[in-house]
Amino acid sequence: MAKPVENSTASAQAKTVIEGRDVGKTFGGGAVIALEGANFTVAEGSFVSLVGPSGCGKSTLLRLIAGLIDRTSGSLTVHGRDITGPHTDVGMMFQRATLLEWRTAIENVLLPIEIQRSVTSADKARAAELLAMVGLKDFAFSFPSQLSGGMQQRVALARLLQTGADILLMDEPFGALDEFTRERLNLELMRIVSEVGATTLFVTHNILEAIFLADEVMVMTPRPGRLARMVHVPFARPRTPELTLTPEFNALVAEVRDILGTH
Amino acid sequence: MHNDQNRMFWILRAAPHLLLLAAILAAWEGAVATGLITTIMIPRPSAIGGAIVELYVTKGTIYEHFFITLTEAVVGFGIGAAVAIALAVSSSLSENFGRYVSPYAVVLNVTPGIALTPIIIAWFGYGMGSKIALAAVICFFPIFVNTLTGLRQTDEDREELFRSFGASQRQVFMQLRVPAALPLMFAGLKIGLTTALIGAVVAEFAQATAGVGVLMSRFSFSLNMASSLATLLSMTLIGLLLFYTMEFLDDRIVFWRREARMAAVSRARARAWKSGAAH
Amino acid sequence: MTDNVKATSQPKTGQMVIHFTIFLALILSWELGAQMGWLDKLFFPAPSAILTSFWRIYVSQGNIWFHLYISLGLVFAGFTAGSILGVGLGAVVGMNATVRRFLQPYVIVLEATPRIAVAPLLIAALGFGATSKIAIIMLVCFFAPFINTLSGVINVDRDRFELMRSLGASKIQVLRKLVLPEAVPVIMAGERLALTSALSGVLVAEFIQRDQGIGTLILTYTRNLNMASAFACIFTLTLIGFLIFKGMERLDHRIAYWKNEAGLRRVGAKRARAWAAEQGGLARA
Ligand SMILES: Nc1ncnc2c1ncn2[C@@H]1O[C@H](COP(=O)(O)OP(=O)(O)O)[C@@H](O)[C@H]1O
Ligand SMILES: [Mg+2]
């Protein structure tokens, strides 16, 4: 099953892949400040959770990193390159699976390739492999509406991996699922991400989930959206659900709660 | 044997309906025969049956008119739909075009298209041309508005996803907007097809030499109610024919909206994939 | 459905200027075409001729008023009768599964038949005059409210239905307090369609009967090749259609007030006042 990650993420020598300096974003000509003065770095291969209440700019930050919207101040680089527009270093996943309901699961997984070039048999093999990886080997030719919500998100995850992007931006990907499904998917996500060795930014409302999954937790506070603090999560991998019962884990939960509450 | 079971099932399901129908017809027949109903408005079912046999079987008068009306409705629908879809696509692609065309579309919508009947007949003559024109005019709007609404639906997340893949405007349009608009477009096409038939028939009432509308007025005004009702049946048949043709296309093209079709397409794609992999 | 064609935000002045310019250019080229003889004046009257006709039929001759009065009266009568019948039957049929099952085949057949095609039959059976016209309008008005009420009633939210049952509500109470209010927006959509069909229905009835009313007027003008007056009548119908459209929209907003922001605020404030007055009254008593 899960192999321990060899690039121990918090290690000082890990390369920085995303770097933000005083990143700010306003909407409506300055009327809405969505994000202000965000300073952060994300190390290669690390798993970073973003927590914070609704409207604190989490989605905005992800969209800035994806180049889908332009920042209004500061500097933001991915692999040392300035972000000026949409780029394929990142792949995205949303709370809704955003699958195309007229395509089968595997055709959905192949969509990012089709957009860029013609599909080869190697791509097809890779798509089948990814579907197997997310546990949908037997559902490759099902249409999205024939799949449950959790399975749809698995397809979305496979599609995200098919992009070949080494940075995964996930905006509350399992937020609409029931507790059991979400827990299972979280565990699988950890396994898959370490298997492909991608850098992950994972937005969630759930503090426990944020800490459980992450190497670093970015705690954000609203009005205006600010990055309050980075909290380092020291626990070894692979992690099991029992971790959430330990005093160390709960001390970290209390710390994050505290930051969110006192700001 | 599986099929036999199916057939039994259908017979069992249809039986009460047929019984009810038979009972109604018998009561009706009896009421007319015993003089309970005397108005000319209600001919006996047997008289209607006789008229149907005469029109559809022995003389076969109906067919010529049937095909004329069908052609008028279908050609009119084709023209109306082509213009409507072209304008809807242009309006969705260019905000300016849409903005400056929409007032005229609204005017066309609120004007009862039927009112144009006499004028269209004056313009296009007594033949099929005027029927086609009226059908095209009155089926335009439902198709236009549904297609445009469908194309303008935006799903922020999916558009962002496409952009994050580096998709061009054209790819977003062809692979996301158009398929997403198809269900609504087909709903509009179905309404339009019904409307086109109404246009053809009304134009025939007003002035024509052939078509089921003409036949209908002729029978009605010679107080031959049985034949008139038999003719009405042909309009129902045209309506059903058009509706189910559209339904069939809808089923094939917008397959992802139907459970059964989706399962079939899913199997077909799996097969195609496997045979492709074998090569 | 049609709401999407309208611009959602208030148009800017610059856009209004362009709208106006396009409109003017269209009218002027039409006028020019007619004046220069590029368009056959017999068939395509110039805008100026249509304007003159407007003046004539509304003012100097004033003959349209009578026909408008006749036609709109028939529309009102037929629409009211047809749509009340449609909603009533739709509710009854919707609440009763057995009736629904036996009616369904007939509904499918009726849905495919162009209802307006029955017009000659009804005229022949009921004779010339207002009765057959109203019958035609009723017939074309009946269907949309019927189908929409029916589907509104059938598609009532299951959980809410069960909630009502658990509260011990009777069938009538469920209908009055849950089913009909929930179906109101759909029913209103049916009524809109019905009123539009009513206008078409009266025109067809008048085209066939050729005695009086706006349809007869259009037919007569066209026969006499007085196209300008025929167009003036049609633009009158455009205006009526527009007023109907707007009127129904407002009615819809008032009746289904919980579906729009302004309605929620209006009714909310009203109920708060009523409540306060009642409480005040109780306090004083
Ligand atoms: N396109 C936009 N236009 C105007 N305001 C926006 C837009 N996108 C986001 N905002 C505002 O920016 C703030 C942060 O939004 P978002 O990043 O979506 O928050 P989160 O994902 O943390 O819930 C919110 O106040 C939101 O209303
Ligand atoms: Mg968000």
Side-chain angles (χ1 to χ4, degrees), chain A residues 25-28 31-35 50-63 69 171-172 203 205 220 222-225, chain B residues 156 160:
Chain A
K25 173 69 187 173
T26 59
F27 288 105
V32 181
I33 303 170
L35 191 68
L50 276 76
V51 267
S54 276
C56 68
K58 304 182 295 290
S59 301
T60 302
L61 182 55
L62 289 202
R63 288 157 76 211
I69 50 176
D171 197 348
E172 301 180 36
V203 171
H205 277 128
M220 299 184 65
R223 269 177 289 278
Chain B
E156 284 293 330
E160 286 199 347

mmCIF file of all heavy atoms in Angstrom, chain A residues 25-28 31-35 50-63 69 171-172 203 205 220 222-225, chain B residues 156 160, ligand 1:
data_model
loop_
_atom_site.group_PDB
_atom_site.id
_atom_site.type_symbol
_atom_site.label_atom_id
_atom_site.label_comp_id
_atom_site.label_asym_id
_atom_site.label_seq_id
_atom_site.Cartn_x
_atom_site.Cartn_y
_atom_site.Cartn_z
ATOM 1 N N LYS A 25 -5.668 40.859 -3.828
ATOM 2 C CA LYS A 25 -6.655 40.827 -4.902
ATOM 3 C C LYS A 25 -7.913 41.565 -4.456
ATOM 4 O O LYS A 25 -8.451 41.302 -3.378
ATOM 5 C CB LYS A 25 -7.022 39.369 -5.233
ATOM 6 C CG LYS A 25 -8.156 39.218 -6.220
ATOM 7 C CD LYS A 25 -7.764 39.668 -7.603
ATOM 8 C CE LYS A 25 -8.940 39.685 -8.556
ATOM 9 N NZ LYS A 25 -8.596 40.280 -9.845
ATOM 10 N N THR A 26 -8.318 42.536 -5.253
ATOM 11 C CA THR A 26 -9.578 43.211 -4.965
ATOM 12 C C THR A 26 -10.527 43.008 -6.135
ATOM 13 O O THR A 26 -10.091 42.796 -7.272
ATOM 14 C CB THR A 26 -9.370 44.734 -4.758
ATOM 15 O OG1 THR A 26 -8.791 45.267 -5.953
ATOM 16 C CG2 THR A 26 -8.473 45.014 -3.575
ATOM 17 N N PHE A 27 -11.804 43.039 -5.844
ATOM 18 C CA PHE A 27 -12.823 42.942 -6.896
ATOM 19 C C PHE A 27 -13.598 44.249 -6.954
ATOM 20 O O PHE A 27 -13.625 45.013 -5.986
ATOM 21 C CB PHE A 27 -13.800 41.793 -6.609
ATOM 22 C CG PHE A 27 -13.201 40.434 -6.810
ATOM 23 C CD1 PHE A 27 -12.849 39.644 -5.731
ATOM 24 C CD2 PHE A 27 -13.007 39.942 -8.100
ATOM 25 C CE1 PHE A 27 -12.314 38.378 -5.914
ATOM 26 C CE2 PHE A 27 -12.471 38.676 -8.289
ATOM 27 C CZ PHE A 27 -12.125 37.894 -7.202
ATOM 28 N N GLY A 28 -14.244 44.458 -8.083
ATOM 29 C CA GLY A 28 -15.111 45.637 -8.223
ATOM 30 C C GLY A 28 -14.344 46.930 -8.057
ATOM 31 O O GLY A 28 -14.803 47.846 -7.390
ATOM 32 N N ALA A 31 -13.540 47.696 -4.420
ATOM 33 C CA ALA A 31 -14.659 47.692 -3.473
ATOM 34 C C ALA A 31 -14.596 46.486 -2.532
ATOM 35 O O ALA A 31 -14.865 46.611 -1.334
ATOM 36 C CB ALA A 31 -15.984 47.683 -4.238
ATOM 37 N N VAL A 32 -14.243 45.321 -3.071
ATOM 38 C CA VAL A 32 -14.153 44.117 -2.236
ATOM 39 C C VAL A 32 -12.692 43.689 -2.150
ATOM 40 O O VAL A 32 -12.072 43.417 -3.169
ATOM 41 C CB VAL A 32 -14.973 42.959 -2.841
ATOM 42 C CG1 VAL A 32 -14.883 41.726 -1.947
ATOM 43 C CG2 VAL A 32 -16.410 43.380 -3.050
ATOM 44 N N ILE A 33 -12.169 43.652 -0.936
ATOM 45 C CA ILE A 33 -10.812 43.144 -0.779
ATOM 46 C C ILE A 33 -10.922 41.652 -0.473
ATOM 47 O O ILE A 33 -11.359 41.257 0.605
ATOM 48 C CB ILE A 33 -10.071 43.857 0.364
ATOM 49 C CG1 ILE A 33 -10.055 45.370 0.087
ATOM 50 C CG2 ILE A 33 -8.651 43.327 0.486
ATOM 51 C CD1 ILE A 33 -9.553 46.186 1.262
ATOM 52 N N ALA A 34 -10.548 40.824 -1.445
ATOM 53 C CA ALA A 34 -10.702 39.385 -1.259
ATOM 54 C C ALA A 34 -9.486 38.798 -0.560
ATOM 55 O O ALA A 34 -9.590 37.840 0.186
ATOM 56 C CB ALA A 34 -10.921 38.704 -2.605
ATOM 57 N N LEU A 35 -8.334 39.404 -0.828
ATOM 58 C CA LEU A 35 -7.094 38.870 -0.279
ATOM 59 C C LEU A 35 -6.113 40.028 -0.115
ATOM 60 O O LEU A 35 -6.042 40.902 -0.978
ATOM 61 C CB LEU A 35 -6.523 37.830 -1.259
ATOM 62 C CG LEU A 35 -5.373 36.959 -0.764
ATOM 63 C CD1 LEU A 35 -5.869 36.021 0.331
ATOM 64 C CD2 LEU A 35 -4.796 36.149 -1.910
ATOM 65 N N LEU A 50 -5.503 24.696 3.279
ATOM 66 C CA LEU A 50 -5.928 26.065 3.552
ATOM 67 C C LEU A 50 -7.223 25.979 4.328
ATOM 68 O O LEU A 50 -8.195 25.425 3.836
ATOM 69 C CB LEU A 50 -6.205 26.822 2.254
ATOM 70 C CG LEU A 50 -5.042 27.473 1.516
ATOM 71 C CD1 LEU A 50 -4.251 26.422 0.792
ATOM 72 C CD2 LEU A 50 -5.575 28.513 0.557
ATOM 73 N N VAL A 51 -7.218 26.520 5.562
ATOM 74 C CA VAL A 51 -8.477 26.562 6.311
ATOM 75 C C VAL A 51 -8.850 27.992 6.610
ATOM 76 O O VAL A 51 -7.990 28.871 6.734
ATOM 77 C CB VAL A 51 -8.436 25.852 7.689
ATOM 78 C CG1 VAL A 51 -8.877 24.439 7.581
ATOM 79 C CG2 VAL A 51 -7.112 26.012 8.353
ATOM 80 N N GLY A 52 -10.128 28.193 6.807
ATOM 81 C CA GLY A 52 -10.606 29.518 7.150
ATOM 82 C C GLY A 52 -12.081 29.584 6.849
ATOM 83 O O GLY A 52 -12.589 28.774 6.076
ATOM 84 N N PRO A 53 -12.782 30.533 7.455
ATOM 85 C CA PRO A 53 -14.224 30.636 7.233
ATOM 86 C C PRO A 53 -14.530 31.056 5.796
ATOM 87 O O PRO A 53 -13.651 31.509 5.065
ATOM 88 C CB PRO A 53 -14.659 31.725 8.219
ATOM 89 C CG PRO A 53 -13.425 32.487 8.524
ATOM 90 C CD PRO A 53 -12.283 31.531 8.404
ATOM 91 N N SER A 54 -15.783 30.911 5.388
ATOM 92 C CA SER A 54 -16.218 31.299 4.045
ATOM 93 C C SER A 54 -15.890 32.758 3.773
ATOM 94 O O SER A 54 -16.023 33.599 4.657
ATOM 95 C CB SER A 54 -17.737 31.124 3.923
ATOM 96 O OG SER A 54 -18.031 29.817 3.601
ATOM 97 N N GLY A 55 -15.439 33.014 2.566
ATOM 98 C CA GLY A 55 -15.220 34.393 2.150
ATOM 99 C C GLY A 55 -13.875 34.951 2.567
ATOM 100 O O GLY A 55 -13.635 36.150 2.434
ATOM 101 N N CYS A 56 -12.969 34.099 3.060
ATOM 102 C CA CYS A 56 -11.686 34.644 3.490
ATOM 103 C C CYS A 56 -10.664 34.622 2.361
ATOM 104 O O CYS A 56 -9.505 34.971 2.563
ATOM 105 C CB CYS A 56 -11.166 33.919 4.719
ATOM 106 S SG CYS A 56 -10.687 32.227 4.394
ATOM 107 N N GLY A 57 -11.054 34.202 1.182
ATOM 108 C CA GLY A 57 -10.171 34.314 0.028
ATOM 109 C C GLY A 57 -9.439 33.050 -0.352
ATOM 110 O O GLY A 57 -8.479 33.097 -1.126
ATOM 111 N N LYS A 58 -9.891 31.919 0.138
ATOM 112 C CA LYS A 58 -9.213 30.663 -0.183
ATOM 113 C C LYS A 58 -9.315 30.348 -1.684
ATOM 114 O O LYS A 58 -8.310 30.073 -2.340
ATOM 115 C CB LYS A 58 -9.833 29.509 0.631
ATOM 116 C CG LYS A 58 -9.820 29.741 2.138
ATOM 117 C CD LYS A 58 -10.383 28.569 2.903
ATOM 118 C CE LYS A 58 -11.857 28.304 2.661
ATOM 119 N NZ LYS A 58 -12.764 29.318 3.225
ATOM 120 N N SER A 59 -10.547 30.401 -2.196
ATOM 121 C CA SER A 59 -10.733 30.117 -3.615
ATOM 122 C C SER A 59 -9.999 31.145 -4.463
ATOM 123 O O SER A 59 -9.417 30.826 -5.501
ATOM 124 C CB SER A 59 -12.215 30.140 -3.985
ATOM 125 O OG SER A 59 -12.911 29.184 -3.232
ATOM 126 N N THR A 60 -10.027 32.381 -3.999
ATOM 127 C CA THR A 60 -9.348 33.442 -4.725
ATOM 128 C C THR A 60 -7.855 33.132 -4.848
ATOM 129 O O THR A 60 -7.264 33.269 -5.920
ATOM 130 C CB THR A 60 -9.555 34.796 -4.006
ATOM 131 O OG1 THR A 60 -10.954 35.040 -3.926
ATOM 132 C CG2 THR A 60 -8.864 35.918 -4.742
ATOM 133 N N LEU A 61 -7.266 32.686 -3.748
ATOM 134 C CA LEU A 61 -5.838 32.372 -3.768
ATOM 135 C C LEU A 61 -5.541 31.247 -4.768
ATOM 136 O O LEU A 61 -4.597 31.340 -5.566
ATOM 137 C CB LEU A 61 -5.374 31.980 -2.358
ATOM 138 C CG LEU A 61 -3.878 31.670 -2.211
ATOM 139 C CD1 LEU A 61 -3.037 32.842 -2.705
ATOM 140 C CD2 LEU A 61 -3.527 31.347 -0.770
ATOM 141 N N LEU A 62 -6.366 30.214 -4.778
ATOM 142 C CA LEU A 62 -6.142 29.118 -5.722
ATOM 143 C C LEU A 62 -6.270 29.604 -7.161
ATOM 144 O O LEU A 62 -5.483 29.236 -8.029
ATOM 145 C CB LEU A 62 -7.145 27.980 -5.503
ATOM 146 C CG LEU A 62 -7.014 27.106 -4.262
ATOM 147 C CD1 LEU A 62 -7.703 25.775 -4.480
ATOM 148 C CD2 LEU A 62 -5.572 26.877 -3.888
ATOM 149 N N ARG A 63 -7.287 30.434 -7.410
ATOM 150 C CA ARG A 63 -7.490 30.907 -8.788
ATOM 151 C C ARG A 63 -6.352 31.825 -9.216
ATOM 152 O O ARG A 63 -6.004 31.876 -10.401
ATOM 153 C CB ARG A 63 -8.851 31.588 -8.918
ATOM 154 C CG ARG A 63 -9.991 30.555 -8.864
ATOM 155 C CD ARG A 63 -11.290 31.160 -8.442
ATOM 156 N NE ARG A 63 -11.902 31.928 -9.514
ATOM 157 C CZ ARG A 63 -12.658 33.002 -9.307
ATOM 158 N NH1 ARG A 63 -12.891 33.420 -8.078
ATOM 159 N NH2 ARG A 63 -13.172 33.644 -10.330
ATOM 160 N N ILE A 69 -7.342 34.322 -12.591
ATOM 161 C CA ILE A 69 -7.609 35.745 -12.376
ATOM 162 C C ILE A 69 -6.262 36.422 -12.111
ATOM 163 O O ILE A 69 -5.297 35.756 -11.735
ATOM 164 C CB ILE A 69 -8.580 35.997 -11.192
ATOM 165 C CG1 ILE A 69 -8.130 35.232 -9.946
ATOM 166 C CG2 ILE A 69 -9.989 35.590 -11.550
ATOM 167 C CD1 ILE A 69 -8.977 35.494 -8.712
ATOM 168 N N ASP A 171 -10.164 22.669 -4.388
ATOM 169 C CA ASP A 171 -11.010 23.615 -3.660
ATOM 170 C C ASP A 171 -12.181 22.880 -3.016
ATOM 171 O O ASP A 171 -13.173 22.613 -3.672
ATOM 172 C CB ASP A 171 -11.504 24.703 -4.614
ATOM 173 C CG ASP A 171 -12.022 25.907 -3.859
ATOM 174 O OD1 ASP A 171 -12.206 25.804 -2.628
ATOM 175 O OD2 ASP A 171 -12.250 26.946 -4.505
ATOM 176 N N GLU A 172 -12.047 22.551 -1.761
ATOM 177 C CA GLU A 172 -13.060 21.788 -1.021
ATOM 178 C C GLU A 172 -13.566 20.594 -1.824
ATOM 179 O O GLU A 172 -14.773 20.425 -1.993
ATOM 180 C CB GLU A 172 -14.250 22.678 -0.660
ATOM 181 C CG GLU A 172 -13.863 23.872 0.184
ATOM 182 C CD GLU A 172 -15.083 24.727 0.531
ATOM 183 O OE1 GLU A 172 -16.149 24.150 0.753
ATOM 184 O OE2 GLU A 172 -14.951 25.952 0.566
ATOM 185 N N VAL A 203 -8.069 23.073 -0.093
ATOM 186 C CA VAL A 203 -8.914 23.978 0.684
ATOM 187 C C VAL A 203 -9.972 23.184 1.420
ATOM 188 O O VAL A 203 -10.570 22.278 0.864
ATOM 189 C CB VAL A 203 -9.617 24.988 -0.248
ATOM 190 C CG1 VAL A 203 -10.655 25.793 0.518
ATOM 191 C CG2 VAL A 203 -8.602 25.901 -0.893
ATOM 192 N N HIS A 205 -12.984 23.450 4.984
ATOM 193 C CA HIS A 205 -13.577 24.159 6.122
ATOM 194 C C HIS A 205 -13.271 23.435 7.416
ATOM 195 O O HIS A 205 -13.487 23.949 8.494
ATOM 196 C CB HIS A 205 -15.107 24.143 5.993
ATOM 197 C CG HIS A 205 -15.612 25.215 5.117
ATOM 198 N ND1 HIS A 205 -16.459 24.965 4.075
ATOM 199 C CD2 HIS A 205 -15.382 26.537 5.111
ATOM 200 C CE1 HIS A 205 -16.731 26.093 3.474
ATOM 201 N NE2 HIS A 205 -16.095 27.066 4.073
ATOM 202 N N MET A 220 -6.303 31.022 7.405
ATOM 203 C CA MET A 220 -6.694 32.311 6.830
ATOM 204 C C MET A 220 -7.850 32.914 7.612
ATOM 205 O O MET A 220 -8.702 32.200 8.139
ATOM 206 C CB MET A 220 -7.078 32.148 5.363
ATOM 207 C CG MET A 220 -5.914 31.622 4.535
ATOM 208 S SD MET A 220 -6.299 31.519 2.783
ATOM 209 C CE MET A 220 -6.523 33.233 2.368
ATOM 210 N N PRO A 222 -10.856 36.246 7.668
ATOM 211 C CA PRO A 222 -11.578 37.096 6.706
ATOM 212 C C PRO A 222 -11.539 38.586 7.013
ATOM 213 O O PRO A 222 -11.060 38.999 8.054
ATOM 214 C CB PRO A 222 -13.013 36.577 6.843
ATOM 215 C CG PRO A 222 -13.130 36.141 8.262
ATOM 216 C CD PRO A 222 -11.750 35.700 8.699
ATOM 217 N N ARG A 223 -12.111 39.295 6.049
ATOM 218 C CA ARG A 223 -12.408 40.747 6.151
ATOM 219 C C ARG A 223 -11.226 41.572 6.566
ATOM 220 O O ARG A 223 -11.176 42.018 7.701
ATOM 221 C CB ARG A 223 -13.588 40.966 7.094
ATOM 222 C CG ARG A 223 -14.903 40.955 6.347
ATOM 223 C CD ARG A 223 -16.076 41.092 7.274
ATOM 224 N NE ARG A 223 -16.307 39.903 8.068
ATOM 225 C CZ ARG A 223 -16.968 38.833 7.623
ATOM 226 N NH1 ARG A 223 -17.459 38.827 6.427
ATOM 227 N NH2 ARG A 223 -17.139 37.782 8.387
ATOM 228 N N PRO A 224 -10.301 41.903 5.751
ATOM 229 C CA PRO A 224 -10.109 41.317 4.436
ATOM 230 C C PRO A 224 -9.374 39.996 4.570
ATOM 231 O O PRO A 224 -8.794 39.735 5.611
ATOM 232 C CB PRO A 224 -9.229 42.352 3.739
ATOM 233 C CG PRO A 224 -8.430 42.938 4.848
ATOM 234 C CD PRO A 224 -9.320 42.932 6.056
ATOM 235 N N GLY A 225 -9.425 39.167 3.488
ATOM 236 C CA GLY A 225 -8.767 37.878 3.517
ATOM 237 C C GLY A 225 -7.273 38.032 3.819
ATOM 238 O O GLY A 225 -6.554 38.760 3.141
ATOM 239 N N GLU B 156 -19.466 28.448 -14.118
ATOM 240 C CA GLU B 156 -18.167 29.074 -13.823
ATOM 241 C C GLU B 156 -17.066 28.030 -13.632
ATOM 242 O O GLU B 156 -15.993 28.134 -14.210
ATOM 243 C CB GLU B 156 -18.279 29.927 -12.554
ATOM 244 C CG GLU B 156 -18.998 31.248 -12.746
ATOM 245 C CD GLU B 156 -18.210 32.196 -13.635
ATOM 246 O OE1 GLU B 156 -16.961 32.111 -13.622
ATOM 247 O OE2 GLU B 156 -18.840 33.005 -14.349
ATOM 248 N N GLU B 160 -13.745 27.542 -15.897
ATOM 249 C CA GLU B 160 -12.404 27.706 -15.319
ATOM 250 C C GLU B 160 -11.560 26.472 -15.554
ATOM 251 O O GLU B 160 -10.375 26.554 -15.854
ATOM 252 C CB GLU B 160 -12.508 27.985 -13.820
ATOM 253 C CG GLU B 160 -12.981 29.386 -13.536
ATOM 254 C CD GLU B 160 -12.659 29.825 -12.118
ATOM 255 O OE1 GLU B 160 -12.301 28.972 -11.290
ATOM 256 O OE2 GLU B 160 -12.765 31.029 -11.862
HETATM 257 N N1 LIG D 1 -15.640 37.519 -9.006
HETATM 258 C C1 LIG D 1 -15.814 38.161 -7.834
HETATM 259 N N2 LIG D 1 -16.377 39.389 -7.807
HETATM 260 C C2 LIG D 1 -16.556 40.042 -6.645
HETATM 261 N N3 LIG D 1 -16.216 39.569 -5.456
HETATM 262 C C3 LIG D 1 -15.672 38.345 -5.389
HETATM 263 C C4 LIG D 1 -15.450 37.576 -6.582
HETATM 264 N N4 LIG D 1 -14.885 36.395 -6.216
HETATM 265 C C5 LIG D 1 -14.773 36.429 -4.869
HETATM 266 N N5 LIG D 1 -15.223 37.600 -4.361
HETATM 267 C C6 LIG D 1 -15.231 38.009 -2.965
HETATM 268 O O1 LIG D 1 -13.970 37.799 -2.448
HETATM 269 C C7 LIG D 1 -14.035 37.276 -1.135
HETATM 270 C C8 LIG D 1 -13.270 35.979 -1.040
HETATM 271 O O2 LIG D 1 -13.925 35.002 -1.832
HETATM 272 P P1 LIG D 1 -13.462 33.488 -1.951
HETATM 273 O O3 LIG D 1 -12.031 33.471 -2.356
HETATM 274 O O4 LIG D 1 -14.402 32.788 -2.845
HETATM 275 O O5 LIG D 1 -13.631 32.968 -0.464
HETATM 276 P P2 LIG D 1 -13.581 31.488 0.103
HETATM 277 O O6 LIG D 1 -13.239 30.557 -1.023
HETATM 278 O O7 LIG D 1 -12.530 31.533 1.156
HETATM 279 O O8 LIG D 1 -14.913 31.193 0.692
HETATM 280 C C9 LIG D 1 -15.492 37.132 -0.789
HETATM 281 O O9 LIG D 1 -15.883 38.247 -0.046
HETATM 282 C C10 LIG D 1 -16.167 37.143 -2.121
HETATM 283 O O10 LIG D 1 -17.444 37.695 -2.046
#
